[in-house]
Amino acid sequence: SKMLNISMERTLQGSIISPGVSHTNGVISIQFKKEDQLIEVCGLSSSIIMDFFIKILGKSNLYDDTLQNLNSRVDHKFKDSIKVRVLILNAITIEYKSLWENNWSEKYKESEWSISDKRLKSFYSLKNEWTLDTPLRNHFERRYSLVEIDVISAMSLKLTLEELIMIYQIQFSVLQQNESDTWYDQNGNIVFTCSKGLTGIGVDRPVWNSIKKLKDGETYEHTIEKSELYYGEKVTYYAPFEKCDRVEDYKVAWAHFEKIFNQN
């Protein structure tokens, strides 16, 4: 997004545009000679570290001179961990098939999540050929992948865990508010969220108040009414419902990756 709003959950909002797509000047884009660098920049710009840099500039628009000042390289030992997470977040449709397959590495299968949770797709199941099962699909695993990108980016840029947490607590108040009232079911779907950026995701608050105490094994079937694309479809939420703590997740992920990267 070319227009910036420092009061939103995220200010720097980037993505990888699929081949054959164009855009208006409401978006600013960068072309790279090598896809490897494209993936690295996407990873860093997906982190709150780069977002923090943009926020403190206080600008209302994103221009070339600002983009040129963004760190665009990831230290070698962090590359595979960043790249696989960027790819499984962004290669969501067949239009990204070539991006996935051109940048495939068997080392991706050796990656590990920093927590053990059935809602997280196994890296070992990844294959060099792109399929519908390749990308991350549920909300829980997409969120957690971004948490780990934050940690790996901070390590690559030689920040400390304390500095990462400070950046989050000082500059990302809206993200903190949304994290404190976003709830996931046992399949990784968002059951309820207060995030205004996720309108139509999950149930409304009155329904949430009536189901939030459902116990293990209980379910709730919801008919989607606030999405033109999925209107009328039914989704089943599986209790118990849980929210996440980003600071605690940072601490766990930091300890995990510190151990892994110190061995390299």
Side-chain angles (χ1 to χ4, degrees):
S1 175
K2 186 176 181 182
M3 295 190 69
L4 305 173
N5 187 338
I6 61 174
S7 65
M8 293 178 63
E9 175 180 301
R10 296 296 298 262
T11 299
L12 181 62
Q13 302 178 77
S15 66
I16 298 178
I17 301 175
S18 59
V21 173
S22 59
H23 60 76
T24 66
N25 60 3
V27 173
I28 186 169
S29 56
I30 315 169
Q31 281 187 307
F32 296 89
K33 291 182 178 179
K34 296 181 179 179
E35 290 182 344
D36 183 71
Q37 189 176 10
L38 160 67
I39 297 168
E40 289 180 41
V41 171
C42 181
L44 290 173
S45 63
S46 298
S47 74
I48 67 168
I49 311 301
M50 288 297 124
D51 201 335
F52 169 73
F53 173 73
I54 297 298
K55 281 181 182 292
I56 62 176
L57 292 178
K59 294 186 177 182
S60 59
N61 276 277
L62 190 60
Y63 292 108
D64 292 345
D65 59 338
T66 302
L67 290 171
Q68 289 171 2
N69 288 323
L70 293 179
N71 190 306
S72 61
R73 303 305 296 179
V74 176
D75 187 278
H76 178 73
K77 68 178 180 179
F78 303 107
K79 275 191 176 184
D80 288 331
S81 296
I82 281 273
K83 288 174 65 177
V84 65
R85 286 165 177 79
V86 170
L87 287 169
I88 56 180
L89 277 169
N90 286 272
I92 56 175
T93 65
I94 197 170
E95 282 75 20
Y96 295 89
K97 176 181 173 68
S98 62
L99 179 70
W100 172 263
E101 296 178 359
N102 290 344
N103 293 279
W104 166 257
S105 170
E106 285 293 330
K107 291 182 179 180
Y108 294 164
K109 298 168 72 72
E110 300 172 9
S111 295
E112 297 178 356
W113 296 105
S114 54
I115 60 171
S116 177
D117 194 294
K118 66 180 182 180
R119 292 168 288 188
L120 299 174
K121 179 194 301 291
S122 168
F123 287 101
Y124 188 75
S125 67
L126 296 173
K127 300 176 182 178
N128 63 328
E129 182 180 357
W130 185 92
T131 70
L132 286 173
D133 293 327
T134 298
L136 303 178
R137 298 290 184 188
N138 75 62
H139 296 103
F140 181 87
E141 61 186 355
R142 293 186 67 81
R143 173 201 172 271
Y144 204 79
S145 185
L146 287 168
V147 166
E148 293 193 340
I149 284 176
D150 285 348
V151 169
I152 300 168
S153 297
M155 288 182 164
S156 179
L157 297 172
K158 305 190 184 309
L159 299 179
T160 65
L161 170 61
E162 291 71 24
E163 288 169 333
L164 171 62
I165 292 174
M166 181 176 65
I167 285 172
Y168 171 63
Q169 291 179 331
I170 291 177
Q171 281 290 344
F172 291 86
S173 58
V174 177
L175 178 55
Q176 291 173 55
Q177 177 185 339
N178 291 338
E179 287 258 301
S180 69
D181 204 13
T182 295
W183 298 78
Y184 302 84
D185 80 342
Q186 294 303 302
N187 280 355
N189 293 316
I190 290 178
V191 186
F192 172 79
T193 179
C194 65
S195 173
K196 293 181 172 58
L198 295 176
T199 301
I201 301 295
V203 300
D204 291 337
R205 190 173 289 277
V207 175
W208 168 241
N209 288 336
S210 70
I211 68 171
K212 62 183 178 182
K213 293 183 179 180
L214 290 180
K215 298 178 180 179
D216 188 9
E218 295 185 299
T219 62
Y220 176 77
E221 186 177 79
H222 171 61
T223 301
I224 299 173
E225 297 179 344
K226 294 187 176 180
S227 168
E228 292 184 9
L229 183 61
Y230 300 107
Y231 183 86
E233 292 191 17
K234 297 182 183 296
V235 57
T236 301
Y237 297 119
Y238 295 82
F241 308 131
E242 304 168 336
K243 63 179 180 178
C244 301
D245 185 324
R246 202 175 192 91
V247 171
E248 289 305 311
D249 288 341
Y250 281 156
K251 293 177 181 178
V252 171
W254 194 280
H256 170 79
F257 287 114
E258 194 170 46
K259 180 179 179 180
I260 288 178
F261 295 138
N262 283 344
Q263 294 174 349
N264 295 337

